[in-house]
Amino acid sequence: MSEDKRRFKTIIAGRPYTILANKPEEHLQTVSEIANDKITQIKGAMPELDIEQRSVLVAVNAISDAISKQAEINALKERISELEQGKPLASKKVSTKVTTQSAQVLEAHKKPVSPKNTTTAKQRLRSQSKQAPGMPRASKEKLLNRSTEMEKR
């Protein structure tokens, strides 16, 4: 164990965990609280899921958020560099770069997806507009898929 890493004991979803990190205790406490909040939020929306399934949804959404934030940071850094070089403003260019960088990051981590788990763009758009704000995207899609199946019956 590195000298700068500390042990932080917490409870997430009713289970004790010891986290090794070089972050301040306040940071780790905030992370634990957010994880508990997200798991509780998913439990409220889909009580039939077990803790492992809820945890996977939290992780998927956290990774998605991290990819989006990193792409945004990269685009802003590039924009700062352009401004420092005296290049004119091009707001469309920044948003395109965010999308391009997100696609590149996703492509690097892409794994084959089975056809039964894929959703159409229309389903994703419907799920974003119909579900509660703040609910993880994966949860929204799952709820939408279930409601669509029930409508077909």
Side-chain angles (χ1 to χ4, degrees):
M1 182 169 83
S2 175
E3 290 179 29
D4 58 343
K5 288 193 177 183
R6 291 175 275 221
R7 292 181 181 270
F8 175 75
K9 294 187 178 193
T10 187
I11 296 178
I12 299 174
R15 297 180 183 177
Y17 290 90
T18 300
I19 301 170
L20 296 176
N22 58 359
K23 303 287 184 185
E25 187 172 328
E26 298 80 24
H27 173 86
L28 297 172
Q29 184 62 42
T30 301
V31 170
S32 296
E33 289 171 5
I34 291 171
N36 275 320
D37 290 345
K38 295 293 183 184
I39 290 170
T40 301
Q41 187 179 29
I42 292 171
K43 184 178 182 179
M46 293 179 286
E48 72 281 359
L49 297 181
D50 64 27
I51 185 63
E52 181 181 353
Q53 292 169 317
R54 282 184 236 130
S55 299
V56 167
L57 289 176
V58 170
V60 166
N61 285 290
I63 292 167
S64 175
D65 290 346
I67 290 170
S68 297
K69 295 296 181 194
Q70 188 60 54
E72 186 178 344
I73 288 167
N74 292 345
L76 290 171
K77 283 180 179 179
E78 189 169 324
R79 185 66 195 128
I80 289 169
S81 175
E82 290 172 356
L83 289 171
E84 288 173 344
Q85 296 172 10
K87 292 183 180 178
L89 279 174
S91 61
K92 290 269 186 198
K93 188 175 183 181
V94 172
S95 65
T96 302
K97 287 182 190 252
V98 170
T99 304
T100 303
Q101 289 170 350
S102 294
Q104 290 169 349
V105 171
L106 288 173
E107 194 63 36
H109 296 283
K110 192 180 279 186
K111 293 182 180 177
V113 177
S114 64
K116 68 179 183 179
N117 292 335
T118 59
T119 58
T120 65
K122 182 178 177 183
Q123 286 174 319
R124 287 190 301 272
L125 289 173
R126 284 180 47 211
S127 69
Q128 289 175 359
S129 63
K130 282 189 171 183
Q131 303 303 322
M135 180 186 292
R137 184 178 181 147
S139 300
K140 292 178 189 177
E141 288 183 4
K142 191 168 185 174
L143 287 174
L144 180 64
N145 289 338
R146 286 185 181 168
S147 64
T148 304
E149 289 172 11
M150 291 177 72
E151 289 173 5
K152 289 179 183 177
R153 292 181 193 169

